[in-house]
Amino acid sequence: FIAAWLAMPLIRVNLSLRGFQKTRSRWNPPRRPAASLNPDEIQQLAARVRSAAVNHLLELNCVPQSIWLSNRLARYGVDHELCL
């Protein structure tokens, strides 16, 4: 929650200055080997990211949330695709 709360405003600024593609590549870490996250844990992670965005002082739309969630999923080795 705290990491998402801190990172999403930085992602928002990056999006404004550099655009989506460069921001996405900047915040997209290399994928790790397959993780042991089950679907419930992935849902909890997504809920924490959403909660951090909703409880933030700044208005954060879905794009910073999606980029941060994509970052976390890649770090856990969860196969996913970010489509906007």
Side-chain angles (χ1 to χ4, degrees):
F1 176 86
I2 293 173
W5 195 87
L6 294 171
M8 284 190 286
L10 297 175
I11 294 171
R12 183 177 145 187
V13 169
N14 261 335
L15 285 166
S16 297
L17 298 175
R18 302 177 71 208
F20 175 74
Q21 290 298 332
K22 288 184 180 180
T23 300
R24 181 176 164 210
S25 65
R26 163 67 179 95
W27 288 88
N28 193 16
R31 293 183 191 223
R32 292 185 177 173
S36 60
L37 286 181
N38 63 45
D40 291 335
E41 292 172 320
I42 294 171
Q43 288 291 342
Q44 290 173 357
L45 177 62
R48 286 193 304 266
V49 170
R50 177 74 181 135
S51 177
V54 168
N55 293 306
H56 208 285
L57 301 173
L58 301 173
E59 184 178 333
L60 298 168
N61 63 19
C62 65
V63 178
Q65 294 175 54
S66 299
I67 291 174
W68 181 250
L69 184 57
S70 176
N71 174 281
R72 297 290 90 191
L73 291 173
R75 286 199 182 265
Y76 286 118
V78 176
D79 192 29
H80 67 284
E81 183 177 353
L82 178 60
C83 299
L84 298 177

